[in-house]
Amino acid sequence: MNQIPDYFRADAFDDENNSKLKGSFTGSWLLEQVFPLLVYVVEGIIPEGLTLLVAAPKIGKSWLVLGIAIAISTGQRVLGCVPTKAAPVLYLALEDGPRRLQARLRTLGVTSLSGKLTFMTDVPRGDMVATIREFMELHPGKNPVVILDTLGKAMPSAGGGETQYDRDYRVMGALKKLADDNPGSSVIIVHHTRKMDGADFLDAVSGTQGIAGAADTILLLKRSRHETQAQLQVTSRDAAEGEYILEQAGTGKWILAGGSRAEAAKAAVDARTTDGVNDRMAEVIAQVNKYPEGSKAKDIATLLHLDDSQTRVYLRRAVEAGRISNPSRGVYAPVTSVTSVTSLLDEDESNTNNTCNTPSEWDGEAA
């Protein structure tokens, strides 16, 4: 752990016991420090710290975190293709009982599990923080992961004179401190969305802003009823923000669309920019989205076997609707915010084997 320099310790001041500068440090000291690299629970998506996963009821969030718990406890791939490192996991499945958990494991095809995975299905509201703290203390230096499903089942009541916001921020702050006090560890909290989404997807988090405000990372899982695909939106203080398309198999297991984070991010771009347009327009936009560096109208027309003038009409309308960009004369590209995310992912994953072409964590052998 990086130590505060001696000359800024409390005993460096005349009033050695009551200095208000205790714990302060200089900018020069800060710039000289070498801090550990960020640890990821799910590479590029869920970093260490406090993560809030929010979703509407009954769309598969418990299946998602159960899959994460299994993969991390065994050190196998998660979401079909993302590598993990084995770590102890405590899954507080407070909306399920042992019978339902067993049924879900069997649906997933799991026949054996690592001793690193611990389940609990009942935690008194006043014991939530203490329970998580005890598990963290049992696994020092091993990057333990705790999944709480759901926050509403364990949230304590507000204290005397305490507002709901104060209660929310106090509880979430305590959970964040547990993760911060155990570098490399992660606390993943499952929570519900509001009935009505706001303009900013953070507004979808149910409860006061004290819940979202304390989290390091927020994941929003959105899926239409009876659809097998879902959109996962990520915002984080540390991880790259982005959007991904997930697909849920008949077994309940979630995987990244296309077999990698880069492909899942591109699928999210296509889904958002082609929503509500006709098939031909969707085809044109999807073609543009394949090339972050930009494409010329003539090339797009050739690839899609369209007339040049017809293609230019589609491109102009797509630009006017904000679905694609026109960075220079005759060149069309994905919108800037999306281009930067997918380009980074392409570069990052070009040096990995993060694909679904190899067997998944539950294919061919027990988890």
Side-chain angles (χ1 to χ4, degrees), residues 268-295:
V269 173
D270 290 343
R272 185 177 65 254
T273 56
T274 61
D275 182 43
V277 302
N278 62 43
D279 291 344
R280 182 64 75 189
M281 175 66 88
E283 193 176 15
V284 170
I285 294 171
Q287 186 64 41
V288 172
N289 287 338
K290 290 180 181 179
Y291 301 98
E293 68 279 8
S295 303

Side-chain angles (χ1 to χ4, degrees), residues 206-360:
S206 181
T208 71
Q209 293 182 355
I211 293 179
D216 297 306
T217 301
I218 298 178
L219 311 178
L220 174 61
L221 183 68
K222 299 176 68 175
R223 184 181 73 169
S224 299
R225 297 295 179 189
H226 310 301
E227 292 290 332
T228 58
Q229 285 195 338
Q231 180 186 51
L232 184 68
Q233 295 177 299
V234 182
T235 186
S236 177
R237 294 188 176 107
D238 299 307
E241 297 190 354
E243 300 175 43
Y244 305 92
I245 293 296
L246 304 184
E247 297 176 342
Q248 189 175 37
T251 60
K253 182 171 63 175
W254 287 101
I255 62 173
L256 283 167
S260 70
R261 285 192 297 126
E263 290 301 318
K266 289 175 181 176
V269 173
D270 290 343
R272 185 177 65 254
T273 56
T274 61
D275 182 43
V277 302
N278 62 43
D279 291 344
R280 182 64 75 189
M281 175 66 88
E283 193 176 15
V284 170
I285 294 171
Q287 186 64 41
V288 172
N289 287 338
K290 290 180 181 179
Y291 301 98
E293 68 279 8
S295 303
K296 292 185 178 180
K298 184 177 181 180
D299 295 332
I300 295 169
T302 300
L303 289 168
L304 297 179
H305 306 289
L306 295 175
D307 178 80
D308 279 3
S309 60
Q310 183 184 27
T311 301
R312 292 179 189 280
V313 171
Y314 281 120
L315 290 169
R316 176 175 53 78
R317 290 176 179 174
V319 170
E320 291 173 351
R323 296 179 185 273
I324 61 174
S325 65
N326 184 200
S328 61
R329 184 179 178 83
V331 176
Y332 300 89
V335 292
T336 304
S337 60
V338 175
T339 301
S340 59
V341 173
T342 54
S343 296
L344 287 172
L345 286 173
D346 284 335
E347 180 179 350
D348 176 53
E349 295 188 355
S350 65
N351 299 317
T352 71
N353 293 317
N354 184 19
T355 70
C356 292
N357 295 326
T358 50
S360 67

Side-chain angles (χ1 to χ4, degrees), residues 17-175:
N17 295 321
N18 297 305
S19 173
K20 304 303 182 185
L21 290 174
K22 181 179 180 180
S24 62
F25 49 85
T26 66
S28 60
W29 174 87
L30 178 61
L31 291 175
E32 292 172 355
Q33 303 313 299
V34 178
F35 295 99
L37 294 175
L38 187 69
V39 174
Y40 277 94
V41 177
V42 176
E43 185 65 32
I45 298 176
I46 305 179
E48 62 184 302
L50 180 63
T51 294
L52 190 65
L53 169 63
V54 294
K58 312 299 182 186
I59 70 165
K61 58 185 179 298
S62 291
W63 287 99
L64 177 59
V65 292
L66 178 58
I68 291 173
I70 295 169
I72 294 170
S73 65
T74 57
Q76 300 296 319
R77 290 181 301 279
V78 66
L79 297 177
C81 50
V82 184
T84 66
K85 293 183 178 180
V89 178
L90 174 62
Y91 181 21
L92 303 175
L94 305 186
E95 292 192 333
D96 298 316
R99 183 193 301 272
R100 183 180 296 172
L101 279 173
Q102 184 189 73
R104 288 188 173 184
L105 290 170
R106 287 177 174 171
T107 299
L108 290 169
V110 177
T111 57
S112 66
L113 282 171
S114 166
K116 292 181 180 290
L117 177 55
T118 301
F119 292 100
M120 290 183 69
T121 59
D122 183 45
V123 175
R125 290 182 181 272
D127 292 348
M128 174 180 63
V129 174
T131 300
I132 296 174
R133 179 185 297 112
E134 183 174 340
F135 184 79
M136 294 282 193
E137 292 174 349
L138 284 174
H139 303 283
K142 297 181 180 179
N143 298 349
V145 175
V146 177
I147 298 172
L148 173 61
D149 183 12
T150 62
L151 179 63
K153 286 287 186 178
M155 179 69 84
S157 301
E162 191 177 40
T163 66
Q164 185 179 347
Y165 173 88
D166 291 338
R167 185 277 311 272
D168 290 348
Y169 199 83
R170 169 176 60 82
V171 172
M172 294 296 287
L175 293 172

